[in-house]
């Protein structure tokens, strides 16, 4: 199994390490041709404005959008989630618009308000998952047809799935816990529908 | 229970800046140009290093009004500099809620013996280094991110290259040493043994390491990335050049595509004049910035 990690900017190496630990092959994606022959794609955390700009400059936005519409498995964390979203409460940003959610950037404030917390994510089992939120966004609007995988409080959705598109506002790649990535790989394998 | 300002979220923000360009800005307009060009963060300053160098005198933390105006102008993280050892300037910057504090040799040091004890802060710090020992001393004090010092405000990459190679050489040497020689090496480096053991095992610094001090062209940025930098700071190099907007975009692209010479060639075309450079050998020793701190 070969998973691409969009490597324009941000926490790329962390995702590659997680994928390798799970026995998947991971490869960096900076240009459209590198999207060929992949089984899934991860869009990492980083600065969403930076990644958006580079994605459009190097013609990656359209092919990724096309893949998403065809049901290709994509996992976005933090900035990666913002890029997948349909609506961002910050008009300067042009996301891919494939995940029918509305997100608010820097929803908890500046870096001083960044935090860690134990999360309940039932699909990953009983054991709590350490959520690392760094200048994190939240998902403010979700339509039907979505699996809400995790909430911080009522109406504060922090992890969702729509078909094979998976997104969370925190950083599983900054933990040692492989369960979230393992869940994504099970989506890629078609074991979860 | 929510835990704020943990080591994970401090070092984690630096990890999210990787592969990016952090640009020095002195006005909200410059900050917007930087954001639009694809900067992953900006450094809010009163003067860029080249002007600090030209002005002389004591360089201090920027006016909070300037920092706040820049924070208001952009949505990307905003960093600001305090003087080495000036923990009250650091407290002020934290109170302003900047996203990252640079305890910087570019400003005139406030303490020649002690750096800020950075573990006391919820906001992460980045510090400069010239070699592995200096990097590990700063990390021990709580720096969540390291950068080379280079020689700021010169537009000359030679010192940043020297410092990045020194850090990488130090790491390679540690990896090759047998365990029973690590204590003596820690003594020689002037670095805590626990961190020396960690680097010996992992073969990398425990935090992100950017390049800074002298980057003026897209090729400079890509050079530092190929030498092992996780990202780059560009100080005077952008807004002291003839065409900041175009140069900023080009440096962002060269940092992402740092292993692709064809792309670096393409983005390097017709950028206009770079900032005027300075030969390090012509700078009187007392005016060098890199030897500040220890």
């Amino acid at each position: 199994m070969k998973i691409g990690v969009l490597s324009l900017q941000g926490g790329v190496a962390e995702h590659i390490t997680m994928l390798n630990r799970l026995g998947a092959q991971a490869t960096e994606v900076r240009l459209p041709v590198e999207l060929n022959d992949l089984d899934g794609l991860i869009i990492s955390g980083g600065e969403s404005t930076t990644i958006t700009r580079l994605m459009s400059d190097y013609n990656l936005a359209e092919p990724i959008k096309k893949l998403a519409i065809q049901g290709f498995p994509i996992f976005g964390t933090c900035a990666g989630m913002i890029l997948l979203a349909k609506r961002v409460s910050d008009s300067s940003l042009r996301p891919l618009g494939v995940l029918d959610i509305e997100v608010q950037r820097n929803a908890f404030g500046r870096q001083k308000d960044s935090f860690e917390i134990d999360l309940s994510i039932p699909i990953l089992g009983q054991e709590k998952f350490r959520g690392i939120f760094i200048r994190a966004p939240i998902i403010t609007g979700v339509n039907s047809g979505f699996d809400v995988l995790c909430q911080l409080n009522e109406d504060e959705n922090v992890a969702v799935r729509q078909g094979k598109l998976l997104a969370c506002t925190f950083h599983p790649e900054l933990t040692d816990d492989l369960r979230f990535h393992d869940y994504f790989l099970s989506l890629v394998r078609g074991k979860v529908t | 229970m929510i835990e704020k300002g943990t080591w994970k979220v401090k070092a984690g923000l630096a990890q999210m800046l990787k592969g990016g360009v952090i640009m020095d800005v002195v006005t909200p307009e410059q900050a917007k140009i930087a954001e639009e060009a694809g900067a992953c963060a900006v450094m809010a300053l009163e003067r860029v290093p080249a002007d600090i160098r030209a002005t002389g005198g004591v360089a201090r933390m920027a006016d909070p009004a300037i920092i706040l105006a820049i924070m208001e102008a952009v949505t990307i993280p905003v960093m600001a500099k305090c003087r080495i050892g000036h923990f009250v300037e650091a407290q002020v910057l934290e109170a302003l809620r900047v996203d990252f504090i640079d305890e910087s040799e570019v400003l005139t040091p406030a303490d020649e013996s002690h750096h800020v004890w950075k573990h006391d802060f919820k906001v992460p710090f980045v510090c400069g280094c010239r070699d592995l020992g200096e990097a590990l001393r700063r990390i021990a004090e709580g720096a969540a991110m390291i950068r080379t010092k280079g020689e700021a405000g010169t537009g000359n990459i030679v010192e940043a290259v020297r410092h990045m190679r020194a850090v990488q050489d130090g790491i390679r040497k540690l990896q090759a040493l047998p365990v029973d020689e690590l204590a003596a090496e820690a003594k020689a480096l002037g670095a805590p043994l626990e961190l020396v053991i960690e680097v010996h095992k992992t073969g990398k610094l425990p935090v992100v390491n950017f390049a800074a001090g002298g980057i003026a062209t897209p090729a400079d940025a890509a050079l530092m990335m190929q030498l092992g930098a996780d990202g780059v700071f560009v100080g005077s190099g952008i807004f002291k050049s003839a065409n900041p907007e175009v140069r900023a975009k080009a440096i962002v692209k060269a940092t992402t595509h740092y292993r692709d010479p064809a792309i670096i060639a393409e983005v390097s075309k017709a950028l206009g004049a770079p900032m005027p450079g300075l030969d390090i050998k012509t700078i009187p020793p007392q005016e060098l910035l890199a030897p500040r701190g220890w």
Side-chain angles (χ1 to χ4, degrees):
Chain A
M1 188 166 24
K2 191 169 159 192
I3 308 294
V5 182
L6 191 67
S7 303
L8 298 173
Q9 190 271 322
V12 172
E14 292 78 1
H15 279 295
I16 291 177
T17 303
M18 300 295 265
L19 291 168
N20 288 335
R21 282 174 65 191
L22 285 163
Q25 197 191 334
T27 170
E28 297 181 356
V29 174
R30 290 184 176 81
L31 295 169
V33 57
E34 292 161 338
L35 288 167
N36 299 338
D37 308 320
L38 296 178
D39 300 302
L41 179 71
I42 291 182
I43 307 182
S44 70
E47 267 312 306
S48 45
T49 50
T50 306
I51 302 173
T52 313
R53 165 155 286 287
L54 287 164
M55 226 163 44
S56 96
D57 286 348
Y58 288 93
N59 306 314
L60 279 155
E62 283 311 312
I64 294 175
K65 221 166 149 172
K66 219 165 129 189
L67 284 171
I69 292 163
Q70 288 165 1
F72 187 76
I74 305 180
F75 177 22
T77 61
C78 195
M81 183 205 70
I82 295 172
L83 295 183
L84 290 175
K86 208 154 241 178
R87 293 172 300 279
V88 181
S89 56
D90 176 336
S91 56
S92 72
L93 209 79
R94 296 167 300 275
L96 294 170
V98 291
L99 197 56
D100 194 7
I101 53 173
E102 179 166 337
V103 299
Q104 187 190 343
R105 293 174 69 209
N106 306 331
F108 301 94
R110 303 193 73 93
Q111 172 61 14
K112 207 177 165 187
D113 303 301
S114 292
F115 61 95
E116 291 183 43
I117 193 167
D118 283 331
L119 299 170
S120 288
I121 308 179
I123 48 137
L124 301 182
Q126 288 269 304
E127 200 188 318
K128 300 271 189 187
F129 194 93
R130 193 67 173 164
I132 298 172
F133 292 80
I134 298 175
R135 289 170 46 94
I138 51 169
I139 304 163
T140 48
V142 180
N143 286 344
S144 58
F146 267 84
D147 281 349
V148 174
L149 306 179
C150 181
Q151 289 189 320
L152 208 51
N153 294 299
E154 210 177 322
D155 292 333
E156 278 187 347
N157 302 312
V158 294
V160 297
R161 178 177 78 94
Q162 183 186 39
K164 297 211 180 229
L165 300 178
L166 182 65
C168 62
T169 72
F170 50 92
H171 292 283
E173 76 279 14
L174 295 183
T175 69
D176 277 328
D177 196 332
L178 294 169
R179 286 178 292 162
F180 219 106
H181 286 76
D182 199 28
Y183 177 72
F184 176 61
L185 294 186
S186 66
L187 279 180
V188 174
R189 287 189 203 101
K191 288 195 176 156
V192 180
T193 51
Chain B
M1 205 191 71
I2 281 193
E3 287 182 72
K4 289 188 181 182
T6 59
W7 177 252
K8 264 273 186 248
V9 301
K10 291 202 263 184
L13 177 58
Q15 284 169 273
M16 293 310 135
L17 298 172
K18 284 191 297 182
V21 182
I22 300 167
M23 302 182 190
D24 279 5
V25 297
V26 299
T27 64
E29 292 70 34
Q30 288 187 355
K32 281 184 184 147
I33 291 172
E35 183 177 49
E36 183 55 31
C40 68
V42 291
M43 178 77 69
L45 292 167
E46 214 165 302
R47 285 195 289 268
V48 295
D51 288 335
I52 290 175
R53 196 175 276 287
T55 312
V58 175
R60 310 179 179 89
M61 176 188 79
D63 181 340
I66 293 177
I67 297 170
L68 288 170
I70 289 168
M71 286 165 62
E72 192 60 39
V74 292
T75 61
I76 55 179
V78 176
M79 302 184 164
K81 289 183 194 291
C82 75
R83 284 179 263 180
I84 289 174
H86 205 314
F87 52 86
V88 174
E89 283 187 349
Q91 290 165 7
V92 170
L93 293 175
E94 183 171 61
L96 294 174
R97 308 177 76 75
V98 301
D99 297 293
F100 232 107
I101 299 171
D102 183 4
E103 186 184 17
S104 177
E105 71 284 357
V106 168
L107 305 182
T108 311
D111 190 326
E112 293 187 336
S113 305
H114 307 285
H115 286 247
V116 174
W117 183 251
K118 294 165 272 286
H119 289 293
D120 284 347
F121 291 78
K122 296 265 189 236
V123 168
F125 279 73
V126 54
C127 288
C129 73
R130 287 162 292 175
D131 53 33
L132 180 62
E134 195 171 17
L136 295 180
R137 288 192 287 280
R138 297 292 85 77
I139 294 165
E141 293 159 358
M145 179 179 183
I146 289 293
R147 57 171 174 77
T148 60
K149 285 180 167 172
E151 189 57 33
T154 61
N156 188 337
I157 197 70
V158 66
E159 294 302 305
V161 168
R162 190 192 316 281
H163 300 158
M164 187 56 73
R165 282 199 184 273
V167 170
Q168 305 292 354
D169 284 349
I171 293 171
R172 283 188 287 267
K173 185 178 175 197
L174 274 192
Q175 279 183 285
L177 282 179
V179 176
D180 64 353
E181 292 184 13
L182 292 177
E185 184 61 17
K187 185 182 172 207
L189 287 172
L193 180 57
E194 308 79 72
L195 289 175
V196 167
I197 291 171
E198 187 179 339
V199 174
H200 165 74
K201 281 186 187 154
T202 62
K204 55 188 179 69
L205 285 179
V207 300
V208 164
N209 182 20
F210 269 46
I215 293 159
T217 68
D220 286 348
L223 172 67
M224 296 314 298
M225 294 296 287
Q226 286 199 27
L227 285 171
D230 291 312
V232 300
F233 284 87
V234 186
S236 320
I238 288 170
F239 289 99
K240 283 286 160 189
S241 73
N243 197 343
E245 230 170 308
V246 179
R247 184 166 295 267
K249 285 179 186 166
I251 292 178
V252 168
K253 288 176 180 170
T255 302
T256 291
H257 297 283
Y258 69 95
R259 281 184 296 226
D260 194 329
I263 290 183
I264 301 167
E266 181 60 35
V267 303
S268 299
K269 284 181 194 162
L271 296 181
M275 72 176 282
L278 262 181
D279 186 343
I280 308 293
K281 292 187 193 76
T282 64
I283 305 172
Q286 70 275 12
E287 288 177 22
L288 289 172
L289 303 176
R292 294 170 166 182
W294 55 281

